[in-house]
Amino acid sequence: MASISPCAVPSPSLRFPLALSHPFASPPPPALGLAGPKLLPSRFAVSAPGIPAVASALESLDSDEEEEDEDEGIESGLFQGEAWAAAAERDAGRSPELVVAELEELPEQWRRSRIAWLCKELPAYKHSTFTRILNAQRKWINQDDATYVAVHCLRIRNNDAAFRVYSWMVRQHWFRFNFALATRVADCLGRDGKVEKCREMFEAMVKQGHVPAESTFHILIVAYLSVPKGRCLEEACTIYNQMIQMGGYKPRLSLHNSLFRALVSKTGGTAKYNLRQAEFVYHNLVTTNLDVHKDVYAGLIWLHSYQDVIDRERIIALRKEMKQAGFDEGIDVLVSVMRAFSKEGNVEETEATWREILQSGSDLPAQAYVCRMEVYARTGEPMKSLNMFKEMKEKNIPPNVASYHKIIEIMTKAREVDIVEQLMNEFIESDMKHLMPAFLDLLYMYMDLDMHEKLEVTFSKCIARCRPNRILYTICLESLVKIGNIEKAEEVFGEMHNNGMIGTNTKSCNIMLRGYLSAEDYQKAEKVYDLMCKKKYDVQADSLEKLQSGLLLSKKVVKPKAVSMKLDQEQREILIGLLLGGTRMESYAQRGVHIVHFQFQEDSNAHSVLRVHIHERFFEWLPSASRSFDDGSKIPYQFSTIPHQHFSFFADQFFLKGQPVLPKLVHRWLSPRVLAYWFMFGGYKLPSGDIVLKLSGGNSEGVERIVNSLHTQSSTSKVKRKGRFFWIGFQGSNAESFWRIIQPHVLNNFASSITQEDSSMGSDGAQDTDTDSDNDMQRYETESDE
C-alpha cells in the first residue's frame, strides 16, 4: 500500500529526531541511555544494563507449586519464606558499550528520512510484512543504518522487532559481526523472558569466537530459572558452568543462591540427581569467599540424605562447617541426618539425632518417625517399626502418605498379613492419594505367599481407585499364569497390549510365553515369540528351548527371526503427529541417516503417560541403553532412537536446514490417529471443553492447508500466531466434533490429564512466549496475521 512506500519522505512530525522527543508512557529502560544532556547528542551509547526485570522474576520461583512429595515431611519448607536468593546484588556484570551514530551526522537528507520512516513503521508489523519492508531497502541500507533501527527498537522496548532486524542483518552480504550489538539484543531479550532467542544470540557470539559478556551469562541464567516449574533448570546449569569455566567470570552471590534454590526446589526423589551441581555451586561460593547461607548447608545435607549410597564423611564435614559458620542445625537438618543414618541401619546415631529433635522443643515431624521405622526395619525388628507408627498416632501426629507407605512396606516384607490388611484399610479410608505403592507391596506379598484369590480381589480394588500401570498388570498376569488360568491371563495380556496407557514389555511377554508353553499351546506361543522378536525383547533361554521342543512335534523348527527394521503404519502416523507438535530430528554422521529425539515435559501428567506409551511403541528403535527400563516410572523424559535411514523421509519433509517446516502434502496425512497424537503431545483441552493444538514450524500457506483439511472433516478452527508457533483452536461444537474424530486413538483416561496443565504444552519447555500466554480461547477469535 502507498503508506509503506520507502521512497515517500515522511512529514516533519514523523522525522526520527522529533519522534525521539515524543514522551513515552514510561521512562526508557536502563539498557539504553543517552550519552549527554542534550536530547540528541552527537552520538548516543547503550550503557551497561541492570537486570531489575530478571531479578524480580527470581521471586516468582517461590510461588511455583510443586507436587506434594510423599517423602518430604518438613523439608517441603526448605528455602521458603526468605528472599535470601534474590536480595543481594541484582545487577549483572558490565557489557561492552554500544555506540551508534546519530541521524544528524548523516550527510544525506534522504537517508535520514528513510531511516526515520523505518524506525516509525517497522515496529508496527510482524513476521512476513516486517521482512518484506526490510527487503525493499536492500539497494541503499547498510550495516550502520540497520544497527540504528535495531537500537531504536530496543530503546522503545520492542525487543522482538530488534531481534528481527538483527536476524535480517545477518543474512545480508555486508554484515559484519558486532559484538556490542549482539550483546545488547541478547540482554534485552533475556530480560523480556525470550529465552530461546536470547540463547540463539548467545550461541551466535560463541560461534563467532567471542566469549559472551558477563551480563549475558547472568541474564540468560536467571531467564532460564524464571521459566515456570523449573523446566529449564538443566539449561541454566549448563550456562552457569560455562560462565565459570569458559568465561572465567565470578557470578554474583544472588546468582549462586538462585541456582542452588532451584536445584533443591524439587522433591527429594527427583532432586537427588542434582547433588553434583549443587556441590559445584557450593564450591564456587567457598572459593570466591562469598557468604554461604544457612540454607545452602541444609540443602546439601538434604540432597546427600536422599542418595542411594550415603556419603557419611561428607555429611559430617558439612555439619561441622555449618557449626563453624555460626549456624544452628534446624529441624530440617536433623531430619536429613536421621534419614541418612537410617538408610545405613545405624540405630545409635538415628536415636541420638532423634533425642536432639526432642530437646529442641519443636513439633515432632512425621518424617522423623518414618526414619525410625526405616532403621528398625533394616535391623530386622519390624514390630518396633510398628510401635513407632502407633506412637506417632498416640501423640496426635497425623500419619502422612510417607508414613503409611513405609509401615505397609515393612509389614509386607515381614509377611504380617493381618496387620498389613488393617493398615491398608486405614490408608484407603483416610482419602489420601498415592495409594499405588502400597497396593503394589500388598500384591507382591500375596504373590509370594501364593494367596492368588486375595491378589485378584486387591487388583480389582486397585484399578478402581488408581490409574492402572504396567507393573500392576504384570503382577496380575504372573499370578494367573502361576495358577494355570491361561484364559484369564490371555485377556489381561490382550488388554495390556491394546491399551496404550499400559503396554507390554519384555517381562510381560516372557510371562505370557511361559503360560502358553505350560498349556502346550505352541501356536499362540509362537505368535508371542514373533512379537518379541519384532520388538527386540529378550526371550528366556528355557522358554525358547521348550518352544523348540514343542514345535518339533509339529515338524517345525524355531529359528531366530531376522528383525525387519521398518516402521509400521501406526508408528508412521504416531511420528507425524509428534512432529507436528514439536518433536525434533537431527542428521547423524552418515548421510541420509537421522535420529528422532523424543522430549517430554516432566511437570505434565499427560506427557508422563505419553512418554511411557511412546517408549513402548518405539521400543525396537531405541538403543540398548534406553531399552533397559522395566519400570515405566524410570523411563527418562528424554530419549532418542537409533540412527536409521527410515527416518530420513520424515526429516526431509518436516525440516529444512534444521528448522521445522510443514510438508506440502501434510493435509493428506491428517488421519484420526495423527490428529490424536498431535493433540496428546502438542495440545491441551480448556476447562470449557475447547481444544487448542500447537503447530511447530511452517508458514501461513501450510497452516491454511491444514485448516482446510480439518474443515473437510467437519472441524472448523481458528488460527493465531504466537512467536514461532501457530495455535489452532476449536470452539464449542467444533471442539466436540474434533474430539469425536480423535477419541478412538486417544489413550484411555488421557483427557483428564491433559486438561490445560499449562499454556505452553509441548516438547519445547523454553518457548518464546509472554508470561501472560493465551490461556483463554477468546484470544483465538481473530485469524493470525498472515
Side-chain angles (χ1 to χ4, degrees):
M1 60 186 178
S3 62
I4 63 170
S5 172
C7 298
V9 178
S11 63
S13 63
L14 300 182
R15 293 284 300 278
F16 189 53
L18 297 180
L20 284 176
S21 65
H22 191 276
F24 291 90
S26 58
L32 293 171
L34 297 179
K38 296 189 296 181
L39 178 64
L40 286 175
S42 59
R43 303 180 74 82
F44 68 88
V46 184
S47 60
I51 55 166
V54 178
S56 63
L58 292 173
E59 284 136 9
S60 68
L61 293 172
D62 287 331
S63 63
D64 292 342
E65 295 182 1
E66 294 288 346
E67 181 178 338
E68 181 181 359
D69 179 22
E70 58 192 44
D71 297 326
E72 282 303 293
I74 64 168
E75 278 79 11
S76 61
L78 197 64
F79 300 100
Q80 301 298 318
E82 296 188 55
W84 63 276
E89 304 109 321
R90 292 183 172 182
D91 291 332
R94 292 190 60 84
S95 57
E97 185 179 34
L98 174 60
V99 180
V100 182
E102 185 261 319
L103 279 183
E104 291 182 353
E105 295 182 358
L106 301 178
E108 304 99 332
Q109 170 63 29
W110 62 269
R111 184 179 294 274
R112 296 200 299 269
S113 299
R114 290 186 178 186
I115 294 175
W117 176 83
L118 284 175
C119 290
K120 183 179 188 309
E121 294 291 335
L122 275 180
Y125 294 97
K126 295 182 179 180
H127 312 303
S128 57
T129 305
F130 193 98
T131 303
R132 285 198 299 268
I133 293 176
L134 285 175
N135 287 340
Q137 323 304 319
R138 283 177 173 173
K139 291 184 179 180
W140 64 270
I141 198 169
N142 57 35
Q143 173 138 340
D144 291 339
D145 300 335
T147 300
Y148 190 94
V149 176
V151 172
H152 170 77
C153 293
L154 294 176
R155 188 176 189 277
I156 64 174
R157 300 184 179 181
N158 196 331
N159 300 323
D160 282 332
F163 178 77
R164 293 191 193 98
V165 173
Y166 183 87
S167 300
W168 181 85
M169 291 171 60
V170 172
R171 300 192 295 269
Q172 307 311 306
H173 65 89
W174 40 254
F175 176 74
R176 303 181 310 277
F177 180 74
N178 187 329
F179 179 63
L181 176 62
T183 299
R184 193 60 61 243
V185 173
D187 291 357
C188 290
L189 288 169
R191 284 197 301 269
D192 204 20
K194 309 293 184 181
V195 289
E196 279 195 352
K197 293 175 181 176
C198 181
R199 182 64 179 271
E200 185 176 335
M201 298 297 300
F202 177 92
E203 297 296 342
M205 292 183 235
V206 175
K207 188 175 181 180
Q208 290 290 334
H210 290 268
V211 175
E214 183 179 357
S215 64
T216 306
F217 278 105
H218 189 116
I219 291 172
L220 182 55
I221 292 170
V222 184
Y224 273 134
L225 293 178
S226 300
V227 174
K229 300 183 180 179
R231 293 196 192 104
C232 297
L233 177 58
E234 184 177 349
E235 289 82 354
C237 293
T238 299
I239 301 301
Y240 172 85
N241 296 342
Q242 290 180 353
M243 182 179 187
I244 296 170
Q245 297 166 353
M246 180 176 73
Y249 299 119
K250 295 181 179 179
R252 304 300 177 93
L253 176 61
S254 61
L255 190 63
H256 290 296
N257 288 340
S258 298
L259 181 60
F260 190 91
R261 179 172 55 179
L263 291 170
V264 297
S265 64
K266 295 187 177 182
T267 59
T270 304
K272 69 178 183 179
Y273 301 107
N274 298 333
L275 175 62
R276 186 175 180 180
Q277 183 68 45
E279 286 280 11
F280 183 61
V281 174
Y282 174 77
H283 169 77
N284 292 322
L285 284 168
V286 174
T287 56
T288 53
N289 296 321
L290 294 174
D291 294 333
V292 181
H293 194 274
K294 175 183 177 180
D295 285 344
V296 173
Y297 292 110
L300 276 176
I301 296 173
W302 178 75
L303 287 173
H304 274 285
S305 72
Y306 274 101
Q307 302 304 305
D308 297 329
V309 178
I310 301 299
D311 189 345
R312 178 187 179 88
E313 294 181 358
R314 180 57 179 157
I315 293 177
I316 294 174
L318 286 170
R319 295 182 71 186
K320 183 178 179 181
E321 292 173 15
M322 185 176 182
K323 291 179 180 178
Q324 290 176 347
F327 297 123
D328 295 329
E329 292 180 331
I331 295 298
D332 53 346
V333 174
L334 294 176
V335 171
S336 296
V337 172
M338 284 190 68
R339 184 185 300 109
F341 288 143
S342 66
K343 284 186 175 182
E344 294 182 324
N346 192 327
V347 177
E348 182 179 351
E349 293 287 354
T350 303
E351 288 294 342
T353 310
W354 167 252
R355 287 192 292 271
E356 290 185 45
I357 294 177
L358 292 176
Q359 293 171 2
S360 68
S362 302
D363 294 337
L364 299 178
Q367 184 63 27
Y369 279 99
V370 174
C371 295
R372 296 181 74 196
M373 295 179 209
E374 171 78 13
V375 71
Y376 284 116
R378 287 182 178 270
T379 57
E381 300 178 273
M383 299 312 295
K384 277 193 175 182
S385 300
L386 182 62
N387 292 336
M388 296 296 109
F389 183 78
K390 293 179 179 178
E391 178 185 329
M392 181 172 60
K393 293 195 291 185
E394 290 172 359
K395 292 187 176 181
N396 295 322
I397 301 174
N400 57 11
V401 173
S403 58
Y404 271 112
H405 283 178
K406 180 56 64 177
I407 193 60
I408 290 175
E409 176 190 349
I410 293 170
M411 291 296 104
T412 54
K413 290 180 179 179
R415 303 294 186 262
E416 299 288 345
V417 178
D418 294 336
I419 296 176
V420 171
E421 290 177 346
Q422 180 182 354
L423 290 170
M424 194 68 205
N425 290 333
E426 287 181 17
F427 192 19
I428 295 173
E429 292 172 359
S430 68
D431 293 329
M432 294 183 186
K433 298 181 180 179
H434 308 296
L435 295 171
M436 181 61 77
F439 270 120
L440 293 179
D441 288 333
L442 188 59
L443 290 172
Y444 279 125
M445 182 188 69
Y446 287 146
M447 173 74 74
D448 294 339
L449 297 176
D450 292 329
M451 303 174 70
H452 298 286
E453 292 184 1
K454 286 192 173 184
L455 188 149
E456 188 172 353
V457 172
T458 304
F459 172 79
S460 301
K461 290 181 179 179
C462 183
I463 60 176
R465 290 174 171 83
C466 307
R467 179 185 296 167
N469 61 29
R470 190 182 299 164
I471 297 177
L472 177 67
Y473 271 77
T474 301
I475 295 173
C476 180
L477 179 67
E478 187 172 6
S479 172
L480 293 170
V481 170
K482 197 171 183 179
I483 62 177
N485 192 346
I486 306 303
E487 183 178 353
K488 185 66 179 293
E490 187 175 7
E491 294 179 7
V492 173
F493 184 79
E495 185 176 353
M496 294 176 66
H497 184 69
N498 296 326
N499 190 336
M501 295 275 286
I502 304 172
T504 56
N505 60 359
T506 302
K507 184 175 182 179
S508 59
C509 287
N510 273 301
I511 292 172
M512 195 67 247
L513 180 60
R514 289 201 308 269
Y516 284 136
L517 292 174
S518 64
E520 298 183 353
D521 192 340
Y522 298 108
Q523 184 176 3
K524 291 182 178 180
E526 188 176 12
K527 291 181 180 180
V528 175
Y529 174 75
D530 291 343
L531 172 64
M532 297 180 70
C533 290
K534 177 184 176 182
K535 303 296 289 185
K536 291 186 178 180
Y537 293 153
D538 295 329
V539 182
Q540 293 177 351
D542 57 339
S543 296
L544 182 59
E545 184 179 346
K546 289 181 181 179
L547 180 61
Q548 289 174 335
S549 301
L551 291 179
L552 280 175
L553 300 176
S554 304
K555 297 182 180 181
K556 288 186 178 182
V557 178
V558 177
K559 296 181 180 180
K561 296 182 179 293
V563 178
S564 177
M565 295 298 290
K566 185 177 181 181
L567 290 167
D568 58 34
Q569 180 65 24
E570 180 183 357
Q571 289 173 329
R572 289 195 294 269
E573 291 183 327
I574 291 174
L575 188 54
I576 292 173
L578 297 181
L579 288 169
L580 288 171
T583 293
R584 307 291 297 180
M585 300 181 70
E586 72 175 30
S587 176
Y588 196 60
Q590 302 176 7
R591 187 175 180 181
V593 178
H594 289 82
I595 296 174
V596 182
H597 293 291
F598 298 108
Q599 182 176 354
F600 303 91
Q601 292 182 11
E602 295 187 35
D603 61 306
S604 168
N605 291 331
H607 272 217
S608 180
V609 172
L610 187 62
R611 162 190 58 117
V612 178
H613 171 68
I614 296 300
H615 186 274
E616 187 267 333
R617 285 293 183 261
F618 286 86
F619 188 87
E620 67 270 28
W621 294 96
L622 303 179
S624 57
S626 298
R627 297 204 303 264
S628 59
F629 302 102
D630 290 331
D631 186 354
S633 62
K634 296 181 180 179
I635 296 174
Y637 281 82
Q638 298 182 35
F639 52 89
S640 303
T641 65
I642 57 174
H644 204 279
Q645 60 184 3
H646 279 304
F647 299 124
S648 299
F649 170 78
F650 298 96
D652 294 339
Q653 294 293 319
F654 283 91
F655 295 92
L656 178 63
K657 296 181 179 180
Q659 298 301 315
V661 296
L662 286 178
K664 293 183 179 179
L665 298 179
V666 65
H667 55 287
R668 298 185 181 179
W669 302 344
L670 300 180
S671 66
R673 180 179 279 115
V674 169
L675 295 175
Y677 280 88
W678 182 9
F679 164 74
M680 289 189 287
F681 184 70
Y684 62 93
K685 202 171 185 179
L686 292 166
S688 61
D690 298 335
I691 294 175
V692 180
L693 301 177
K694 185 192 75 172
L695 179 60
S696 179
N699 51 30
S700 57
E701 291 78 10
V703 175
E704 184 177 359
R705 289 194 296 270
I706 291 179
V707 171
N708 291 337
S709 176
L710 293 171
H711 184 71
T712 60
Q713 301 183 48
S714 303
S715 295
T716 303
S717 59
K718 294 181 180 295
V719 181
K720 183 178 181 66
R721 186 166 188 171
K722 187 75 173 176
R724 297 184 296 106
F725 303 98
F726 289 93
W727 295 87
I728 301 177
F730 304 87
Q731 296 176 273
S733 60
N734 294 314
E736 295 176 1
S737 176
F738 180 79
W739 180 252
R740 285 194 295 270
I741 293 173
I742 67 174
Q743 188 173 16
H745 302 285
V746 174
L747 302 180
N748 295 343
N749 302 322
F750 190 87
S752 58
S753 300
I754 203 172
T755 302
Q756 200 181 4
E757 290 178 321
D758 194 89
S759 61
S760 57
M761 191 145 184
S763 66
D764 188 359
Q767 297 176 20
D768 285 324
T769 56
D770 296 332
T771 54
D772 54 343
S773 299
D774 298 341
N775 293 333
D776 194 328
M777 279 298 297
Q778 293 179 355
R779 300 287 186 95
Y780 299 90
E781 288 292 334
T782 58
E783 294 292 327
S784 64
D785 185 357
E786 300 281 338

